[in-house]
């Protein structure tokens, strides 16, 4: 599943008129940064590190599965709409449970296999994908699923009147859709793109009931109709969504043991923004499953018989510092290299993740095709003195107030952030302050933060992009994605474009991997962004809920049941 996450404990105070005050402020940044690093180092010594591909802490299941009960889960963000086409992507915790996909990715082999399609084939030129649609599937409103259901769904996404958001980006590679009969679906692509299967295996491209869309019109986002294991019952704004078991469901993914309807009666998805409240709710039994549990809190749930901890190294692009490359300052490679040397990645891993992660020296996670440890030699090591030399050489000299200045302009930055990245922003602000770069944190709520990133309203910002395919690099850095995709930094590089286009068209696995190794090498040599760390996804499950498993994208409740 694709997600993009495109104050201040060192708040900028009113500037005094005295140079001494300003110099003291610079020294304060240094003292705080030093203390943070010392504290973080001591914390990491006290914690054991985990392997890059950890096994879930499975609980013994002594009883047989039972029917009935309710599973209650908590997410930090409420969906903007349950119309999957018009959502920015934060609907997936709900809509993925209501739908299904043409194909699915085997979590072990990473192969794509048929799901709502009984089979599929790809043309020799890689531009035509033909799917045979199953004939035994119906929507929650009784409408049969056909090839035309997919055709209408995909054409709705591509219709400008829909104003599709994430779904619109996903369908950009598709030139045309046809359904010559009820069982045959044909996708014609603009150019070969082997990563298209990644998106056809997610909830973003799930089929929707056109009957329901016609019935509810603009209100469909509050009355969604899918064909998956769970049916929509209600949505209380600010509280959450309740789904009920689809009694007719018998088309589960082949990897699921339970091929029939879900065992629990209901799946309740609550909205709880405050992580401390989420964990309190987990411990008092108000919720059963807590998503995105902070690394700093995970230790107390490990090896605790009352909980199961699911953890996975995040696929895709690591947490990175993106520079707005349209700004004059960042068009100088010496400045970009300096920024790469100013980020103390190990301190970030220790402070933010409590050691539950890894320093990133390249732009793809170790769990993603295209990662290669040899790329580390092209990465940048933390080196403040060398960064100072690079900034001096670029003309950014320290003035009498301890700030970097060039041609009468002080080096000041707006660091766009959100509550999720609070500590990361504070650390980055202090690290830049060490060399006289004044970064002001602009902290926005999630939707405004994402909107600001997509519109390029920042000097620097933080991004982590979860996507189980190296095409994440195309979507994030290819020049065609400026304005229409996730290239929020405004990067235009012909050599990189050629490599990323080649990666999409290369089917053979090893050859494709090498293309992305070459692309990452070029990104590092040009210092276009700062990869910081690879983090883990943590989900904590109450022991009363059994059988929660990972798919390639998210926890799956199809085999779950509630111990009464």
């Amino acid at each position: 599943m694709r997600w993009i996450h495109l104050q201040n404990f060192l708040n900028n105070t009113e500037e005094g008129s005295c140079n001494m005050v300003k110099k003291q402020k610079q020294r304060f940044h240094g003292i705080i940064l030093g203390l943070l690093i010392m504290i973080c180092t001591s914390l990491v010594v006290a914690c054991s590190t985990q392997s890059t591909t950890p096994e879930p802490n499975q609980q013994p299941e002594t009883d047989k599965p039972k029917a009935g009960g309710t599973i209650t889960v908590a997410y930090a963000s409420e969906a903007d709409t349950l119309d999957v086409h018009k959502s920015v992507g934060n609907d997936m915790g709900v809509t993925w449970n209501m739908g299904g996909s043409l194909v699915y990715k085997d979590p072990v082999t990473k192969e794509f296999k048929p799901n709502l399609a009984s089979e599929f084939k790809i043309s020799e030129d890689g531009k035509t994908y033909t799917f045979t649609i199953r004939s035994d599937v119906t929507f929650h409103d009784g409408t049969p699923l056909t090839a035309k259901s997919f055709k209408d769904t995909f054409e709705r996404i591509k219709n400008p009147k829909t104003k599709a958001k994430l779904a619109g980006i996903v369908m950009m590679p598709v030139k045309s859709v046809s359904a010559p009969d009820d069982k045959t679906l044909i996708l014609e692509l603009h150019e070969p793109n082997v990563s298209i299967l990644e998106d056809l295996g997610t909830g973003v491209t799930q089929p929707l009931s056109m009957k329901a869309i016609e019935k509810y019109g603009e209100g469909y986002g509050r009355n969604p109709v899918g064909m998956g294991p769970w049916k929509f019952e209600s949505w209380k704004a600010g509280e959450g969504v309740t789904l009920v078991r689809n009694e007719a469901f018998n088309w589960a993914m082949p990897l699921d043991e339970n091929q029939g309807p879900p065992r629990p009666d209901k799946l309740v998805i609550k909205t709880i923004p405050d992580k401390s409240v989420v964990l309190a709710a987990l411990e008092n039994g108000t919720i059963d499953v807590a998503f995105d549990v902070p690394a700093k809190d995970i230790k107390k749930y490990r090896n605790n018989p009352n909980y199961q901890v699911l953890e996975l190294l995040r696929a895709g692009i690591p947490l990175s510092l993106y520079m707005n490359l349209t700004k004059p300052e960042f068009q100088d490679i010496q400045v970009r290299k300096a920024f790469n040397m100013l980020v103390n990645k190990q301190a970030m891993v220790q402070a933010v993740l409590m050691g539950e992660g890894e320093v990133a020296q390249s732009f793809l996670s170790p769990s993603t095709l295209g990662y290669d440890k040899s790329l580390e030699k092209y990465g940048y090591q933390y080196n403040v003195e060398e960064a100072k030399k690079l900034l001096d050489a670029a003309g950014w000299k320290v003035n009498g107030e301890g700030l970097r200045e060039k041609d009468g302009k002080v080096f000041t930055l707006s660091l766009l952030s959100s509550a999720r990245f609070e500590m990361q922003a504070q650390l980055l602000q202090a690290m830049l302050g060490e060399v006289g770069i004044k970064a002001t944190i602009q902290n926005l709520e999630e939707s405004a933060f994402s909107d600001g990133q997509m519109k390029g309203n920042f000097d620097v910002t933080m991004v982590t992009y979860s996507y189980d395919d190296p095409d994440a690099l195309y979507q994030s850095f290819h020049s065609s994605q400026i304005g229409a995709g996730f290239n929020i930094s405004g990067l235009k590089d012909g050599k990189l474009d050629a490599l990323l286009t080649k990666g999409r068209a290369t089917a053979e696995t090893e050859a494709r991997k090498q293309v992305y190794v070459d692309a990452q090498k070029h990104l590092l040599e040009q210092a276009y962004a700062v990869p910081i760390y690879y983090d883990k996804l943590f989900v904590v499950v109450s022991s009363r809920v059994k059988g929660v498993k990972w798919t390639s994208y998210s926890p799956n409740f199809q085999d779950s049941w509630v111990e009464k």
Side-chain angles (χ1 to χ4, degrees):
M1 183 178 295
R2 135 201 341 237
W3 304 94
I4 184 170
H5 301 299
L6 288 140
Q7 71 119 79
N8 206 347
F9 121 165
L10 294 173
N11 282 313
N12 288 322
T13 56
E14 292 288 332
E15 291 191 43
S17 59
C18 178
N19 290 347
M20 182 179 297
V21 172
K22 295 181 179 179
K23 290 179 182 178
Q24 287 175 339
K25 186 178 177 184
Q26 292 296 319
R27 287 197 295 271
F28 177 70
H29 277 283
I31 293 168
I32 291 298
L33 180 58
L35 286 172
L36 277 170
I37 294 171
M38 288 169 61
I39 293 168
C40 297
T41 302
S42 65
L43 285 170
V44 158
V45 170
C47 297
S48 60
T49 58
Q50 301 295 310
S51 63
T52 57
T53 54
E55 292 294 324
N57 176 22
Q58 300 287 357
Q59 294 292 325
E61 296 182 10
T62 55
D63 296 332
K64 292 182 179 180
K66 304 171 183 176
T70 297
I71 297 177
T72 304
V73 306
Y75 283 99
S77 302
E78 184 171 35
D80 49 342
T81 173
L82 296 182
D83 183 338
V84 67
H85 296 168
K86 297 182 179 182
S87 174
V88 296
N90 58 358
D91 63 304
M92 283 299 148
V94 177
T95 55
W96 176 236
N97 290 293
M98 296 175 55
S101 55
L102 277 169
V103 296
Y104 75 96
K105 178 182 276 189
D106 188 297
V108 177
T109 68
K110 301 296 184 181
E111 294 178 285
F112 287 98
K113 298 179 179 179
N115 189 27
L116 294 179
S118 59
E119 61 179 3
F120 65 93
K121 60 183 179 180
I122 306 170
S123 63
E124 288 188 9
D125 66 1
K127 295 172 68 174
T128 304
Y129 285 66
T130 303
F131 300 86
T132 301
I133 305 303
R134 293 174 57 164
S135 58
D136 60 343
V137 179
T138 57
F139 286 98
H140 298 155
D141 60 5
T143 307
L145 176 74
T146 65
K148 188 175 185 298
S149 304
F150 278 102
K151 178 178 183 293
D152 291 343
T153 294
F154 293 165
E155 288 183 343
R156 180 178 187 254
I157 295 173
K158 295 182 72 64
N159 187 339
K161 292 182 180 179
T162 303
K163 298 180 180 179
K165 294 183 172 63
L166 177 58
I169 295 173
V170 164
M171 290 300 292
M172 285 175 64
V174 178
K175 181 179 180 181
S176 65
V177 188
S178 60
D181 56 59
D182 282 351
K183 296 187 69 175
T184 307
L185 174 70
I186 302 172
L187 303 185
E188 296 285 349
L189 309 186
H190 292 287
E191 57 188 12
N193 182 0
V194 296
S195 72
I196 190 68
L197 289 174
E198 192 73 41
D199 291 315
L200 296 178
T202 72
V204 179
T205 54
Q206 65 181 278
L208 303 183
S209 167
M210 291 300 117
K211 178 182 175 181
I213 289 173
E214 291 172 7
K215 176 181 178 180
Y216 294 109
E218 290 299 314
Y220 175 79
R222 287 275 173 175
N223 298 276
V225 174
M227 36 57 55
W230 299 95
K231 298 167 61 174
F232 177 78
E233 181 179 81
S234 63
W235 180 4
K236 294 183 179 179
E239 294 184 23
V241 176
T242 298
L243 306 179
V244 296
R245 177 174 53 226
N246 177 12
E247 298 288 358
F249 186 74
N250 64 356
W251 43 87
M253 291 186 289
L255 58 81
D256 294 322
E257 295 174 14
N258 175 25
Q259 290 292 299
R263 297 182 181 107
D265 298 322
K266 294 185 178 183
L267 179 64
V268 177
I269 297 99
K270 286 186 174 290
T271 302
I272 308 178
D274 190 318
K275 291 295 183 186
S276 62
V277 176
V278 170
L279 298 183
L282 178 69
E283 291 168 14
N284 67 29
T286 305
I287 66 170
D288 303 303
V289 184
F291 284 84
D292 296 325
V293 175
K296 67 182 179 63
D297 296 309
I298 209 66
K299 186 179 179 182
K300 66 179 177 179
Y301 298 107
R302 280 206 184 104
N303 302 315
N304 184 330
N306 294 320
Y307 305 98
Q308 176 188 6
V309 175
L310 302 178
E311 57 186 272
L312 197 69
L313 192 67
R314 189 193 298 272
I317 294 177
L319 178 81
S320 302
L321 181 69
Y322 278 29
M323 296 168 268
N324 189 332
L325 301 175
T326 67
K327 304 288 184 180
E329 297 91 332
F330 297 121
Q331 290 170 13
D332 188 332
I333 191 172
Q334 294 181 104
V335 173
R336 300 198 301 268
K337 286 183 176 180
F339 269 62
N340 271 267
M341 294 178 183
L342 285 172
V343 178
N344 188 334
K345 301 176 184 181
Q346 190 61 52
M348 297 280 275
V349 169
Q350 295 167 359
V352 179
L353 306 179
M354 297 298 173
E356 297 281 356
E358 301 176 25
V359 165
Q361 295 291 5
S362 57
F363 289 95
L364 288 175
S365 162
S367 62
T368 308
L369 177 71
Y371 171 81
D372 194 305
K373 194 171 178 62
S374 69
L375 287 166
E376 291 182 4
K377 62 186 175 185
Y378 300 103
Y380 299 86
Q381 302 300 317
Y382 177 58
N383 192 329
V384 175
E385 293 308 311
E386 186 62 29
K388 289 178 179 178
K389 292 177 183 177
L390 287 168
L391 291 170
D392 286 340
W396 291 100
K397 304 294 180 68
V398 177
N399 63 19
E401 300 176 348
L403 298 174
R404 293 277 166 178
E405 183 179 309
K406 181 179 180 180
D407 299 328
K409 178 185 177 182
V410 174
F411 203 149
T412 59
L413 295 173
S414 171
L415 198 172
L416 184 64
S417 184
S418 72
R420 270 185 308 115
F421 296 126
E422 181 177 3
M423 182 178 288
Q424 294 93 323
Q426 294 165 6
L427 285 165
L428 288 169
Q429 183 188 50
M431 291 169 188
L432 295 173
E434 280 294 280
V435 296
I437 297 173
K438 183 180 178 181
T440 301
I441 298 173
Q442 183 184 8
N443 196 54
L444 303 178
E445 59 86 20
E446 282 300 323
S447 60
F449 171 58
S450 297
D451 186 61
Q453 288 185 323
M454 297 299 282
K455 291 179 178 177
N457 295 334
F458 64 89
D459 294 320
V460 291
T461 190
M462 284 166 287
V463 170
T464 181
Y465 185 12
S466 299
Y467 193 54
D468 201 15
D469 189 272
D471 194 59
L473 294 177
Y474 183 102
Q475 297 159 16
S476 298
F477 298 115
H478 194 281
S479 62
S480 67
Q481 302 301 294
I482 297 174
F486 296 143
N487 185 347
I488 63 172
S489 58
L491 174 56
K492 296 179 181 179
D493 185 311
K495 180 178 179 178
L496 183 62
D497 281 355
L499 285 167
L500 297 177
T501 300
K502 182 179 179 181
R504 281 192 155 187
T506 305
E508 200 280 316
T509 301
E510 285 305 312
R512 190 170 186 239
K513 175 182 177 180
Q514 187 56 51
V515 173
Y516 289 110
V517 169
D518 293 342
Q520 290 175 88
K521 178 183 175 183
H522 186 69
L523 280 165
L524 291 167
E525 288 174 339
Q526 295 300 312
Y528 285 134
V530 185
I532 300 174
Y533 61 65
Y534 311 116
D535 64 332
K536 298 175 186 176
L537 300 171
F538 291 105
V539 177
V540 179
V541 184
S542 167
S543 60
R544 69 183 290 271
V545 174
K546 310 296 184 182
V548 181
K549 300 177 181 177
W550 277 111
T551 64
S552 289
Y553 305 105
S554 63
N556 175 12
F557 299 106
Q558 181 60 22
D559 291 333
S560 300
W561 54 280
V562 180
E563 188 177 64
K564 297 180 181 178

